[in-house]
Structures are given as C-alpha cells and as structure tokens.
Amino acid sequence: MAGMTAIETIYADVDVASFEVSSIPSTYQHLLVDVSVCSTYGGTGGDYFYIRFNSETSGSNMKQQIVIHNSNTESVLNASGYMQARRVPTSGSTEADYGIVRFICFDYANTSKKNSIMLSSGSLNPQRVSFGGGMVTNTDAAVHTVAVICANGNMRRGSTMTIWGLEDA
C-alpha cells in the first residue's frame, strides 16, 4: 500500500517573504508540497510566487508551461526562469481569501535525471485556477531543499506549507 508521511509543516505567525524546508530525506519516492497562501500585495489581479529547489539562485535554470484560467479567459505561460505558482489571492482583492497551491516533485532523489514537477493552484477570489509543469534544466542533483518565495508581497500571516513524502506500494 502506498503511504504519505508529513516531513514538515510551516505556519506563518507573521507575514513572511518565503518558506523553506531543507535537509529533506531521500527516503521517499516523490515529494508532495501543499501551500495555503494569501499575499500582502495590494494588487487585485493576484500575485505569484517562485518555486525553488536546492537554493537555486539563477532564474535561467528552470522551464515551465502553465495554463491559467481567469474567470472567462484562458492563457498559457511558457517561461524560462524560476517555476511559478500563479494567481495567488492578494489583500487587494475584495475578500482576502487564501488560495491553494499543490505541486509534486517526481522521483526527487534520483540523480540520473532532471527534477520535474506537476503544479496546480486555485483561488475563489479572484476566481482563478492554473495547472502545468516544469523542469530544472541545469542539474541532475537530488532535491534536498524546497522553497516558495512570494514575488510582489509577503505571504500573509496564517499561510502554511506542508511537505509530504510519498511512498510507492
């Protein structure tokens, strides 16, 4: 039977720019990351945040493609740079709801391939969903650190991130 183990949960007692979990054990098959977030950014169109592995500092070492649905319109983001979760709710929205972001890093401890993720996010206000995937392009290193970094504001107090280890049957 497949299993899930919580590796670490972070809760923001105050507004924070980022969450980071390091020293992730290599004993699982995949990593699942759940983030509940609202940005302090004052804009009404939603904020976004970067997903970074192993303290990567170059924005040119990752590629992604995300489909974004905004109420009645769809768009596609093809990007080089940091992987991004899009359309996080902001305090500038009518109601400052928290959105959900979930991504899976497949086979994260394998050093014979590039790391890749599958990503989905959604919020009620603004009404937006996105899904897609991305890949680290410059290294085959195992993932030992995962960070999410708010792009324009901070993650509001009450935001959380949980990293789960997934085991195959």
Side-chain angles (χ1 to χ4, degrees):
M1 175 185 280
M4 258 173 85
T5 303
I7 296 172
E8 187 166 343
T9 297
I10 300 173
Y11 176 83
D13 291 328
V14 297
D15 297 348
V16 296
S18 64
F19 288 141
E20 181 173 292
V21 174
S22 59
S23 302
I24 296 171
S26 62
T27 54
Y28 303 100
Q29 183 69 33
H30 312 291
L31 294 178
L32 172 67
V33 181
D34 287 322
V35 184
S36 173
V37 64
C38 181
S39 171
T40 61
Y41 178 60
T44 58
D47 200 354
Y48 60 98
F49 61 78
Y50 302 113
I51 299 166
R52 186 164 57 184
F53 297 137
N54 299 341
S55 303
E56 175 65 51
T57 58
S58 173
S60 62
N61 295 330
M62 299 180 184
K63 298 203 181 300
Q64 73 176 38
Q65 184 172 45
I66 297 177
V67 175
I68 303 166
H69 178 76
N70 299 319
S71 298
N72 296 317
T73 62
E74 288 81 28
S75 60
V76 176
L77 169 69
N78 292 299
S80 293
Y82 296 120
M83 288 179 271
Q84 302 172 22
R86 302 293 288 192
R87 305 304 186 225
V88 170
T90 64
S91 58
S93 301
T94 307
E95 298 173 32
D97 294 324
Y98 285 70
I100 301 298
V101 176
R102 172 174 268 188
F103 61 94
I104 299 173
C105 182
F106 297 103
D107 206 15
Y108 73 102
N110 186 336
T111 58
S112 298
K113 66 172 198 62
K114 307 282 190 247
N115 287 300
S116 62
I117 68 166
M118 180 177 62
L119 165 75
S120 61
S121 64
S123 65
L124 293 175
N125 190 16
Q127 292 181 350
R128 297 194 166 119
V129 294
S130 65
F131 59 93
M135 170 189 289
V136 176
T137 59
N138 69 327
T139 181
D140 294 344
V143 173
H144 55 79
T145 302
V146 173
V148 293
I149 303 154
C150 212
N152 295 302
N154 286 321
M155 289 180 269
R156 285 188 50 199
R157 178 182 160 275
S159 295
T160 62
M161 179 172 88
T162 301
I163 295 187
W164 303 87
L166 304 178
E167 301 170 11
D168 282 342

